[in-house]
Amino acid sequence: MSVTPADARPVRWRAGAGRLAAGAALLTAVALLPWLSRTDPALTVLRARSADQDPTPAQLAAVREQLGLDKGPFSHLAHWLGGLPRGDAGSSWVSGEAVLPEVTAAFAVSVTMMLGALVVTIAVAALVSARTLYLGSRRRLHRGRAATGAAALAALPKFLLASLLATVCGVWLGWFPSQGWEGPQWMVLPALALGLPSGAMIGGLLDQSLPAAFNEPWARTWHAYGFAPGHVARHALRRTLAGVLPQLLPTVVALVGGAVAVEKIFNIPGLGRLALDAAVAQDLPPLQTATLVLVLLGIAAGLLIQALRRALLGPALRDGALPALRAPDLPRSRSTRWIAGICAITLLALVVAGLLRDPLHVDTAARLLPPSAGHPLGTDALGRDLLARLGHGALRTVGTALAVTAVCTVTGLLLGMAAQVGAGLTEVVSTLPAVLAGLLTTAVTGPSAWGAACAVCLVGWTPYAAQSSALLEQERASGHMLASLSFGAGPAYLFRHHLLPAVLPGVLRNALLRLPTTVLVLASLGFLGLGEQPPTAEWGRLLSENQPYVELAPWTVLGPACALILLAVLAVSGTTSGRGGPRRKARSAVLPRGARERVTGGTGAASGRR
């Protein structure tokens, strides 16, 4: 199943064709945005130029003629593409300034912020997985963990964390600047806001993968021969990083275009903010240029990550000699079950208590009241009871997030298994901001919860596809896979007994860790008018609506934030079995029936020869 040198060139050509097709489709969809939205782009541009001006038919006709809108979207796209080889990305329809210098400056800012977030991500991931790495290298890893701490940290909303850091560390303590972008010190707070949840996500996945590496025969042999624990730890980390490394693309690299909320809070002139403003104003030249930059960034980062993975795995990946990563059967601590029970009871109590109250009752005399006996979670800016809105929004929030996560997981699995076709598509879509996908979807469906869910499904499958593709590549290069093939195992048998058991547990853990993130992405689309509309009670929307009052009334966001954390911890710890989660059958027990007869001679002769 490994790729031979003779087959390497066709595989590279197919992957390159996939990247080209995905990039072309995305750029074409962006070019069609004004026409898909069924609004006059000339009217939008004219209003963006002068909001207080009442446009006349003559003015609209002049704008159409000036921008060439009467020729249609494909003529404009061809003209824009023709200028790129000359270094000309056109001029902004709104400001009239050259697009390329503006996009280049915004890209430099976003990449710098992304690199700072990457440093924080690596540091947090190292802290999350440090205990498992230390105990496993010394053969003292006797109990498994459910990664509840990592789940709680990963569930922290980035925009809420940014607001708290800006208020506490920037305004109250004055440690770092809270607004603008003028030097390295301006990068600290945004990097922390972006890197802490991302690091918890990556660290949680790494922490769950390390026990399988320490369970491999080489680790037991090296420990018996007295190798230093640090030497064993380095090789175990190298073995597991290959499976976790692809998550950097949709988790960290995607921050270049997807950190719109954080850029707005810290007033950072980044690429995500530029793309959003251009999309809202239907200013196509900067939007198309920003999209092209994100596509190229995704492809370059994907190729770099793929090269790092192959360097980590070494010749064993090419030669089909990788050992299978099989998680040990570690018992879970009783505290895991207690944590799951406490989270479930607390969450259920909050929801039931909220359902007994009116979530739409407005009392302007009770605005931003702190928690009390009458309002256990306080009130919002309109005087509505936050406990009532939390309880009534539970079913809608959790149900939508579970449905979207399930669709994204299945889609990611299917595209991850089609590695040659899905690799380029994953690299291109992984850096696409969910807000831009929301604008494209809303242009067709209109603002609705259904449209926001479709937008998240368009981009949310990339982490699972990247993980599935990496794990499948390693599984296909394992020795037992070649043995099954030599004994006549067919594709259906290999998929059912080898490929799916190797991929599914890790992808499901990833999906559970990302469940609160799905809620927050849906909330951000609703806050921008692209999703759930007010006065609907929904957890993510509660966070978005009350985010401006964090400094004045922090309790307005405390309730929904704690509910998200409880949901994340419950999802991770409650689905973990008492003996270490899903097991994989022994390899000797899953050979085809005919193969087992040939190995054993039908009478156990093989065991006698051993």
Side-chain angles (χ1 to χ4, degrees):
M1 297 293 288
S2 59
V3 179
T4 62
D7 298 332
R9 183 171 298 177
V11 170
R12 285 197 296 267
W13 273 108
R14 284 192 290 269
R19 296 182 180 99
L20 183 61
L26 180 57
L27 289 174
T28 303
V30 170
L32 291 172
L33 179 59
W35 287 266
L36 290 174
S37 61
R38 296 180 294 276
T39 59
D40 188 355
L43 178 62
T44 307
V45 172
L46 191 59
R47 285 177 174 173
R49 291 177 177 177
S50 179
D52 56 350
Q53 183 178 355
D54 189 14
T56 63
Q59 291 172 331
L60 291 175
V63 171
R64 293 191 192 97
E65 183 179 359
Q66 176 190 358
L67 303 180
L69 295 175
D70 52 346
K71 298 179 181 178
F74 296 105
S75 175
H76 164 74
L77 179 61
H79 177 73
W80 175 76
L81 289 173
L84 291 179
R86 305 190 304 269
D88 180 16
S91 301
S92 170
W93 289 355
V94 175
S95 65
E97 298 179 356
V99 168
L100 197 57
E102 185 181 12
V103 172
T104 302
F107 177 71
V109 170
S110 292
V111 168
T112 304
M113 186 171 62
M114 182 265 292
L115 293 176
L118 179 61
V119 173
V120 177
T121 298
I122 294 174
V124 174
L127 291 175
V128 170
S129 57
R131 173 187 174 274
T132 302
L133 196 63
Y134 177 85
L135 295 179
S137 62
R138 289 160 175 79
R139 308 298 298 174
R140 289 160 51 187
L141 191 62
H142 305 307
R143 287 188 176 274
R145 293 201 301 172
T148 53
L153 190 57
L156 288 176
K158 290 183 174 68
F159 60 86
L160 177 59
L161 189 57
S163 298
L164 292 175
L165 289 173
T167 301
V168 176
C169 300
V171 178
W172 293 354
L173 301 177
W175 289 349
F176 301 101
S178 60
Q179 293 285 319
W181 187 270
E182 299 179 15
Q185 63 268 33
W186 274 263
M187 184 178 66
V188 175
L189 296 183
L192 288 173
L194 296 172
L196 286 174
S198 300
M201 185 81 63
I202 300 295
L205 295 174
L206 185 62
D207 187 70
Q208 295 294 313
S209 302
L210 279 171
F214 289 120
N215 192 47
E216 288 186 330
W218 66 264
R220 297 193 296 268
T221 303
W222 286 14
H223 178 75
Y225 274 90
F227 279 69
H231 189 66
V232 177
R234 285 195 301 272
H235 281 268
L237 192 61
R238 177 177 178 177
R239 180 70 174 93
T240 53
L241 271 179
V244 179
L245 202 58
Q247 295 301 300
L248 290 178
L249 185 63
T251 303
V252 179
V253 178
L255 296 176
V256 173
V260 181
V262 175
E263 290 177 356
K264 283 185 171 293
I265 291 171
F266 289 106
N267 195 23
I268 297 173
L271 192 63
R273 187 177 175 184
L274 173 66
L276 175 61
D277 293 341
V280 172
Q282 295 192 0
D283 192 0
L284 281 188
L287 178 60
Q288 288 174 322
T289 308
T291 304
L292 177 62
V293 169
L294 291 175
V295 168
L296 295 177
L297 174 66
I299 293 174
L303 293 175
L304 177 61
I305 289 174
Q306 184 179 12
L308 290 176
R309 285 188 62 252
R310 294 183 180 277
L312 287 172
L313 294 175
L317 180 65
R318 182 188 66 245
D319 299 336
L322 277 178
L325 279 176
R326 182 169 175 266
D329 200 12
L330 297 175
R332 298 291 182 187
S333 173
R334 291 184 178 179
S335 61
T336 301
R337 291 190 290 270
W338 279 102
I339 290 173
I342 292 172
C343 290
I345 293 173
T346 305
L347 201 55
L348 184 62
L350 288 173
V351 171
V352 172
L355 289 174
L356 301 177
R357 298 168 177 259
D358 184 6
L360 301 178
H361 177 68
V362 176
D363 184 3
T364 55
R367 296 176 65 252
L368 300 178
L369 289 181
S372 61
H375 303 284
L377 296 182
T379 61
D380 63 6
L382 296 179
R384 295 173 296 189
D385 186 77
L386 287 172
L387 179 60
R389 295 183 64 76
L390 183 72
H392 282 266
L395 183 61
R396 180 183 296 270
T397 301
V398 177
T400 304
L402 285 174
V404 170
T405 301
V407 171
C408 292
T409 303
V410 173
T411 305
L413 277 170
L414 294 176
L415 290 175
M417 291 175 184
Q420 297 175 11
V421 178
L425 187 61
T426 302
E427 294 167 359
V428 170
V429 177
S430 61
T431 55
L432 178 67
V435 173
L436 182 56
L439 289 170
L440 292 171
T441 306
T442 305
V444 179
T445 64
S448 63
W450 165 250
C454 290
V456 178
C457 290
L458 282 177
V459 298
W461 54 268
T462 54
Y464 315 116
Q467 185 181 24
S468 301
S469 179
L471 294 177
L472 283 172
E473 186 180 22
Q474 296 181 48
E475 185 70 12
R476 290 189 178 107
S478 60
H480 67 269
M481 191 77 170
L482 297 178
S484 294
L485 283 171
S486 66
F487 284 116
Y493 184 89
L494 294 174
F495 174 79
R496 188 172 63 253
H497 291 282
H498 291 287
L499 299 180
L500 194 60
V503 173
L504 196 56
V507 173
L508 289 179
R509 286 195 297 266
N510 195 0
L512 293 174
L513 278 173
R514 292 182 182 274
L515 183 62
T517 304
T518 304
V519 176
L520 297 175
V521 175
L522 289 168
S524 65
L525 295 178
F527 183 69
L528 294 171
L530 305 176
E532 196 74 73
Q533 300 299 302
T536 305
E538 194 265 339
W539 290 358
R541 185 161 190 84
L542 295 182
L543 287 170
S544 300
E545 290 175 342
N546 296 307
Q547 182 267 330
Y549 309 102
V550 169
E551 184 177 357
L552 178 63
W555 57 84
T556 56
V557 297
L558 186 61
C562 290
L564 278 178
I565 293 175
L566 289 174
L567 177 64
V569 174
L570 179 62
V572 172
S573 60
T575 55
T576 305
S577 66
R579 293 290 299 175
R583 301 184 186 181
R584 294 180 61 184
K585 297 179 182 179
R587 298 301 175 187
S588 59
V590 296
L591 288 174
R593 179 177 300 176
R596 287 198 298 267
E597 293 174 355
R598 287 194 294 271
V599 171
T600 61
T603 59
S607 59
R609 285 193 298 270
R610 284 196 303 268

